[in-house]
Amino acid sequence: MAFLGKILQRIWGGLYRAKFRSLSRRMGRPAGPPTLERGLVLIQIDGLSFPHLQRALREGRMPYLARQLRKGRFHLAPWFAGFPTTTPVVTAALLYGHRDGIPGFRWYEKARGERIVMKRPDHVRHVAARLQGNGNGGLLRGGACYASLFDGGAQRTVFTISRMGLPSLLGGMRGLGLLLLILLSPGRIWRVLRTVVRDLADELWYGARSWAAGWLFLRDPMGLFRTAFLSLGNALLHELLTFSLSMDLHRGISPLFANYVLYDEAAHRYGPDHPVALRALRRLDAYLREIDRMARFAQRPYDLYVFSDHGMTPAEPFHRRFHQTLGAFVQACLQQEVVLDEMAEPDDRRWQSWRHLMAELRGLERSLSPRGAQMVRAARAYVQRQAPRMPAGAAGRPADVLVRASGPLAHLYIATAPEPLPLRAIAARWPRLLEALITHPGIGLVIGREGETVFLMGRRGTWVLRPEGQPRLHGEDPLTDPERMAPEGRWLSPEQAREELARLARMPEGGDLILLGAWDGQTVVTFEDQRGTHGGLGGAQEMAFLLFPAQAPIVPRHWHDARDFHAFLIHTYHRKPLPEPTAAG
């Protein structure tokens, strides 16, 4: 039986290689010569925590991954990837070995007077240039990068925000390239159709279970069409992503990096434990199976690492629990007329797939037939009309106060002060503000600073953290408050949390006040409209996972954050000396 299995595997491998050899010639990207040098494949599953992965493996939602773990091919371990627990911070640390100057997903740079959002290509390029300015060309030099914020120095990028507008995946194709890629595999067609049907069923079923949403499609007949359209774009994007990785594996390209956002999107919308979010993991398991199989059939040996950048914690939005936004609460506490900038950016994650696809197809229009080009232009026009737009900024008088939220983490800026505002100045000018924030039941921690001295303030106590000398606690530890910062379900110890929060507060880009949503051991308060969230402290958002080859000599629990993973990969695959483990701060 084992002998027959080996024969079938050889036949299957030959078929795979023949198919991709033909496709690579058609795309003008032939395979390189065979080599015994080990290649590197990095697959990031956005937002999947170690506890939720364990649950998925137990319940049979990721059968292929579970089977490979039982065979002993891989080891699985939890790890802390970085703080704030958000994708830009972790991806920067992994690809460049640096995480400085990224205080969240959204912030305000006083020196430049610019509101930064890490989904705008110009903003991402600005941060990437700063990371590369540290003398690091990136982990992915000579390789390829897919569906990422940063390119990591990759020679070729697709669906990568920092390199939007450069040569695309389909640039070497002629005619209806996208359609041909899909039609070459009946299995891909079936996965796309099944995904669209299941997403429509979810929208109808889970919408109908609430009175407010139950009549959605009666009020908005286009709702079902939009859901199908968004689902189709998401499915096509991930099929193309997986196809592209398989093609590069056939060609012998290394290193390779790809980010899959299926679970993250579903968990934000429905919650990390919701059946829709957990079902996304079965799709991811199928993609991992295809990538792993192609890696084993490639003409060079590859090492596969699968990991997450952060986890996801069940959340309740601040504005739903307290019937006002955080910005409105702050404005009321200031007790004077101020201009507030708290533009709630639309949740456009589900439109991102179509934006990426339209960017890829734009270059194909000249090579299509007139009818085909017209169809592509019509699709692009529809996406541009329907997709939420970034706010252009408030008209008239500039804002006095800005609130920038990244899930349960919020930066509050006093824009009238060009430099970071000391805590005593805030207390003197707005005496009620600090007390109101500290005692608010939805806020777990308020952070301020005096120069390099950081204050972590809770309702019953305050930590005073100086650059040198022992931290001093006045009152009870705010990082162990059972109602606001419960120790249950936390990865970071109070000591580690103090170090991370002090580092965040000392960033020039950080807010004059930094707020963390309350965590009661079950649910965290988020400042965005999310049912699952990350960015702060509390629960599974702190607990990422790392699946690595059994022969890899690493212990993730001993790492401080993703910079140590970067150092290990640079040493192993770029043959550079292994630096000392990173220190906190």
Side-chain angles (χ1 to χ4, degrees):
M1 186 65 69
F3 177 72
L4 179 61
K6 289 182 179 180
I7 292 177
L8 290 175
Q9 188 173 14
R10 284 179 177 274
I11 294 173
W12 193 255
L15 291 174
Y16 255 69
R17 283 190 287 269
K19 182 178 78 170
F20 281 95
R21 191 181 306 116
S22 173
L23 286 170
S24 64
R25 283 199 301 265
R26 178 178 177 83
M27 298 182 72
R29 299 190 178 109
T35 176
L36 295 178
E37 185 178 1
R38 302 199 69 82
L40 170 64
V41 186
L42 299 167
I43 305 296
Q44 179 173 297
I45 300 181
D46 202 321
L48 180 59
S49 71
F50 180 72
H52 288 108
L53 175 59
Q54 286 183 307
R55 174 181 174 180
L57 293 171
R58 283 196 310 269
E59 296 178 356
R61 297 180 186 274
M62 303 188 79
Y64 181 77
L65 205 57
R67 195 158 56 246
Q68 303 313 306
L69 285 166
R70 286 195 300 270
K71 289 180 178 179
R73 291 186 58 219
F74 299 99
H75 291 321
L76 175 65
W79 75 313
F80 174 71
F83 185 82
T85 50
T86 189
T87 302
V89 175
V90 178
T91 306
L94 174 66
L95 298 184
Y96 298 101
H98 301 283
R99 57 176 184 168
D100 298 328
I102 308 178
F105 195 84
R106 300 173 184 86
W107 68 90
Y108 175 67
E109 295 195 350
K110 284 191 172 186
R112 302 169 63 223
E114 187 164 10
R115 301 158 177 82
I116 301 296
V117 184
M118 293 302 289
K119 60 184 175 183
R120 284 186 46 172
D122 55 334
H123 291 175
V124 177
R125 280 193 288 269
H126 165 70
V127 175
R130 193 161 57 197
L131 294 168
Q132 293 167 340
N134 288 323
N136 191 328
L139 174 66
L140 305 180
R141 295 187 304 277
C145 180
Y146 295 94
S148 175
L149 288 170
F150 305 111
D151 58 83
Q155 182 176 351
R156 181 164 165 269
T157 62
V158 181
F159 311 140
T160 297
I161 295 179
S162 66
R163 299 274 292 276
M164 281 293 188
L166 295 180
S168 66
L169 165 67
L170 303 175
M173 297 294 288
R174 293 294 181 268
L176 292 175
L178 174 63
L179 183 61
L180 287 175
L181 293 182
I182 298 300
L183 291 181
L184 279 168
S185 174
R188 295 191 192 279
I189 298 176
W190 168 242
R191 281 202 300 238
V192 168
L193 293 176
R194 185 176 58 186
T195 296
V196 173
V197 171
R198 288 304 298 262
D199 286 352
L200 284 172
D202 289 337
E203 197 79 9
L204 284 168
W205 173 248
Y206 293 109
R209 292 175 69 177
S210 69
W211 179 265
W215 304 99
L216 171 66
F217 303 120
L218 293 180
R219 297 194 309 267
D220 181 14
M222 293 295 290
L224 277 176
F225 172 75
R226 270 196 298 271
T227 296
F229 189 75
L230 291 169
S231 177
L232 177 63
N234 188 285
L236 288 174
L237 180 98
H238 284 87
E239 291 296 337
L240 277 172
L241 174 58
T242 306
F243 166 84
S244 304
L245 279 168
S246 299
M247 177 67 74
D248 282 343
L249 287 165
H250 164 74
R251 297 174 59 218
I253 304 299
S254 177
L256 298 172
F257 174 86
N259 181 32
Y260 283 82
V261 298
L262 285 170
Y263 176 82
D264 185 78
E265 292 175 348
H268 273 306
R269 190 174 184 210
Y270 292 100
D273 298 294
H274 195 278
V276 175
L278 294 174
R279 192 165 61 243
L281 298 179
R282 187 173 290 276
R283 288 175 61 193
L284 285 167
D285 189 66
Y287 293 137
L288 290 174
R289 177 176 179 269
E290 186 173 341
I291 293 165
D292 187 37
R293 175 179 288 178
M294 194 65 213
R296 286 192 280 172
F297 292 156
Q299 299 186 67
R300 67 180 296 181
Y302 275 99
D303 293 331
L304 174 65
Y305 296 80
V306 183
F307 60 94
S308 60
D309 47 353
H310 53 77
M312 194 82 69
T313 299
E316 183 176 2
F318 184 96
H319 72 88
R320 293 192 184 185
R321 181 182 289 188
F322 303 107
H323 309 293
Q324 66 178 155
T325 66
L326 175 62
F329 175 74
V330 169
Q331 193 170 31
C333 293
L334 294 176
Q335 296 183 319
Q336 64 185 78
E337 184 178 350
V338 297
V339 176
L340 173 73
D341 180 358
E342 194 200 19
M343 291 184 180
E345 295 160 11
D347 184 358
D348 61 352
R349 276 180 291 268
R350 293 197 300 165
W351 285 101
Q352 198 65 38
S353 299
W354 274 111
R355 287 196 179 99
H356 285 315
L357 288 170
M358 292 303 103
E360 290 293 328
L361 287 174
R362 188 178 292 115
L364 274 178
E365 289 184 30
R366 290 188 296 272
S367 63
L368 294 174
S369 67
R371 183 177 295 276
Q374 184 179 8
M375 291 173 60
V376 172
R377 283 194 294 270
R380 286 202 293 111
Y382 178 79
V383 171
Q384 290 170 355
R385 287 195 306 271
Q386 297 295 325
R389 296 179 179 274
M390 295 290 297
R397 177 181 158 190
D400 301 308
V401 177
L402 296 95
V403 175
R404 287 291 172 264
S406 302
L409 168 71
H411 293 270
L412 192 157
Y413 299 89
I414 309 300
T416 52
E419 301 292 335
L421 204 59
L423 189 60
R424 71 179 72 181
I426 297 174
R429 187 170 179 184
W430 296 289
R432 184 174 177 271
L433 176 62
L434 275 178
E435 180 184 358
L437 291 173
I438 291 170
T439 57
H440 194 287
I443 297 174
L445 204 65
V446 179
I447 306 169
R449 57 190 169 188
E450 287 277 345
E452 293 296 302
T453 300
V454 175
F455 299 84
L456 310 181
M457 297 170 284
R459 58 176 179 160
R460 294 195 182 101
T462 297
W463 277 106
V464 180
L465 310 176
R466 293 182 171 83
E468 298 177 358
Q470 290 295 320
R472 294 180 57 187
L473 175 63
H474 300 273
E476 299 179 19
D477 189 347
L479 292 171
T480 58
D481 186 329
E483 296 179 7
R484 307 292 178 84
M485 277 286 135
E488 292 82 13
R490 297 269 302 276
W491 172 273
L492 291 179
S493 68
E495 294 76 16
Q496 292 172 312
R498 287 201 309 264
E499 294 170 354
E500 294 292 345
L501 292 170
R503 182 188 63 83
L504 175 64
R506 290 174 181 136
M507 287 186 190
E509 299 83 2
D512 297 314
L513 291 176
I514 301 174
L515 313 176
L516 291 182
W519 160 250
D520 61 7
Q522 299 293 328
T523 304
V524 69
V525 173
T526 179
F527 304 118
E528 296 188 78
D529 191 8
Q530 301 168 334
R531 291 176 176 84
T533 195
H534 58 88
L537 296 176
Q541 62 183 312
E542 301 177 26
M543 290 177 269
F545 78 89
L546 176 61
L547 182 137
F548 53 96
Q551 69 273 15
I554 58 177
V555 185
R557 183 174 282 276
H558 294 167
W559 289 346
H560 185 265
D561 53 46
R563 292 174 297 170
D564 292 312
F565 193 14
H566 170 90
F568 166 78
L569 295 173
I570 286 287
H571 169 71
T572 304
Y573 298 96
H574 288 283
R575 302 294 187 265
K576 290 191 175 182
L578 189 66
E580 292 295 323
T582 57

